[in-house]
Amino acid sequence: MEIRKIEADKKKYLSLLLLADEQEDMIDRYLERADMYVLDDGGVRAECVVTDEGDGILELKNLAVCPDSQGKGYGRQLIRFVEDTYRDRFRVLQVGTGDSPATLPFYEKCGFHRSHVVRNFFTENYDHPIYECGKQLVDMVYLKMELERRKGEA
Ligand SMILES: CC(C)(COP(=O)(O)OP(=O)(O)OC[C@H]1O[C@@H](n2cnc3c(N)ncnc32)[C@H](O)[C@@H]1OP(=O)(O)O)[C@@H](O)C(=O)NCCC(=O)NCCS
């Protein structure tokens, strides 16, 4: 298993990016200025995208695991990788997601805590209604974790 940084042609992984964020022009708002990584385990299984939001805040903008590889720990491994890679340069890791049972419990299991809500984010920014688990997404729920050095680390 290896996690590698993608420096060029990030759109090569568009089908994975669209799994987490289904409107391409919304992905275009962050992809070029972002750092992107793919997790390869006998083929690319997952990707994640992070951006510098200023003031010591790193934001996880996109995280997706191939449908046939979900539930095997790849999503959690990418989050741990991001924590370890960026903890020296950022104070907080945040993620915004829909109010959905497909994602909120996952982020909470990975150590994020709910922070705040941006009302009507999905209805105001996307050109069509977004549904997850049969429910229309309306508000963006933000979750955060502190990126402090763990005890015992140099
Ligand atoms: C959400 C997603 C990133 C999770 O990645 P994953 O590799 O499937 O999740 P993991 O196997 O790493 O799961 C880590 C933990 O979260 C739990 N978990 C994952 N999804 C869950 C869910 N919907 N409800 C409850 N727990 C969940 C797992 O059971 C596991 O807990 P455990 O270690 O106690 O068993 C992945 O399923 C995905 O890509 N979904 C589609 C795209 C998407 O919605 N992306 C997020 C929007 S930005």
Side-chain angles (χ1 to χ4, degrees), residues 2 17 21 23-24 27 29 63 68 74 82-83 95 113 118 123 129-130 137 141-142 150:
E2 71 160 355
L17 289 160
D21 194 351
Q23 189 173 311
E24 188 173 346
I27 294 172
R29 288 190 186 185
L63 168 67
D68 59 0
Y74 291 131
V82 167
E83 284 176 60
V95 62
H113 301 284
V118 177
T123 44
I130 313 280
L137 302 185
V141 180
Y142 274 90
R150 295 195 187 103

Side-chain angles (χ1 to χ4, degrees), residues 100-114:
S100 162
T103 49
L104 283 174
F106 163 74
Y107 287 118
E108 287 174 332
K109 279 212 163 168
C110 289
F112 287 88
H113 301 284
R114 288 186 201 216

Side-chain angles (χ1 to χ4, degrees), residues 104-138:
L104 283 174
F106 163 74
Y107 287 118
E108 287 174 332
K109 279 212 163 168
C110 289
F112 287 88
H113 301 284
R114 288 186 201 216
S115 154
H116 61 282
V117 167
V118 177
R119 298 268 168 231
N120 303 320
F121 180 85
F122 288 96
T123 44
E124 284 175 2
N125 287 284
Y126 286 77
D127 62 17
H128 63 288
I130 313 280
Y131 287 89
E132 228 170 76
C133 304
K135 186 180 155 197
Q136 188 181 351
L137 302 185
V138 177

Side-chain angles (χ1 to χ4, degrees), residues 55-104:
D55 199 25
I57 297 171
L58 181 73
E59 183 161 335
L60 182 61
K61 290 284 191 186
N62 192 301
L63 168 67
V65 179
C66 295
D68 59 0
S69 297
Q70 290 175 7
K72 295 180 177 170
Y74 291 131
R76 190 202 292 272
Q77 281 186 63
L78 272 174
I79 288 176
R80 292 289 168 259
F81 170 82
V82 167
E83 284 176 60
D84 291 342
T85 305
Y86 290 90
R87 101 171 48 252
D88 288 345
R89 282 172 279 162
F90 292 87
R91 212 168 32 83
V92 168
L93 175 61
Q94 73 176 20
V95 62
T97 187
D99 184 3
S100 162
T103 49
L104 283 174

Side-chain angles (χ1 to χ4, degrees), residues 22-46:
E22 66 182 57
Q23 189 173 311
E24 188 173 346
D25 63 6
M26 292 298 283
I27 294 172
D28 290 339
R29 288 190 186 185
Y30 53 75
L31 194 59
E32 272 318 302
R33 68 184 173 97
D35 289 350
M36 180 178 195
Y37 297 91
V38 297
L39 183 153
D40 194 315
D41 191 8
V44 171
R45 308 285 176 197

